[in-house]
Amino acid sequence: PKETVVTRWRADPWSRGSYSFVATGASGNDYDMLATPIAPPGPPSSNGSGSSTNNGGSGHSSNASTSTSSSNSGGCTVVGEAVVGNGDPPPADPNRPPRLFFGGEHTIRNYPATVHGAFLSGLREAGRIADQYLGCPYASPPPQANKAE
């Protein structure tokens, strides 16, 4: 080999050789929570009733009048007009999609504390971002309302 790279995780003052693990009293759901993308907060409610709330720190806003109808089509979840990847919580407001995405071995339930878990979580987030900007190419289009002629 012309070149080799050796990491010194144990000597790194920021990591000290650390990795994630499920602590006593924790569960795999904690990994899912760390992987939840964060959307920017919505504007404050204009009527003062506080109908826009925060969903347990996930960064997604919810509105009492939001439609909950959904269907699964071609591997993507179709919610109203929004299409998001498998298992992803839909954004409360399609005009405010998630902007902050999290990848790493600490965000993948099935492969925590592994290099391949970090790699797979990076692919998962790249897919979420691609679906957000490019749409979900393998999903059928939403049904059209019949128009009277």
Side-chain angles (χ1 to χ4, degrees), residues 26-43:
S27 72
N29 291 338
D30 296 326
Y31 285 100
D32 297 340
M33 193 177 345
L34 287 171
T36 303
I38 297 177

Side-chain angles (χ1 to χ4, degrees), residues 13-132:
W14 301 109
S15 67
R16 299 275 188 209
S18 64
Y19 57 89
S20 66
F21 66 96
V22 180
T24 304
S27 72
N29 291 338
D30 296 326
Y31 285 100
D32 297 340
M33 193 177 345
L34 287 171
T36 303
I38 297 177
S45 177
S46 60
N47 63 6
S49 66
S51 64
S52 179
T53 59
N54 193 339
N55 258 352
S58 70
H60 295 289
S61 297
S62 65
N63 189 328
S65 64
T66 301
S67 172
T68 59
S69 63
S70 66
S71 64
N72 195 325
S73 171
C76 290
T77 304
V78 180
V79 180
E81 297 284 325
V83 178
V84 293
N86 285 336
D88 298 343
D93 181 359
N95 296 324
R96 293 184 179 279
R99 289 189 187 168
L100 185 59
F101 298 86
F102 298 98
E105 55 85 20
H106 64 287
T107 66
I108 191 157
R109 172 193 290 247
N110 296 331
Y111 304 101
T114 62
V115 172
H116 61 278
F119 176 74
L120 291 173
S121 71
L123 294 176
R124 178 194 65 219
E125 296 309 311
R128 284 180 176 170
I129 293 167
D131 284 349
Q132 180 175 310

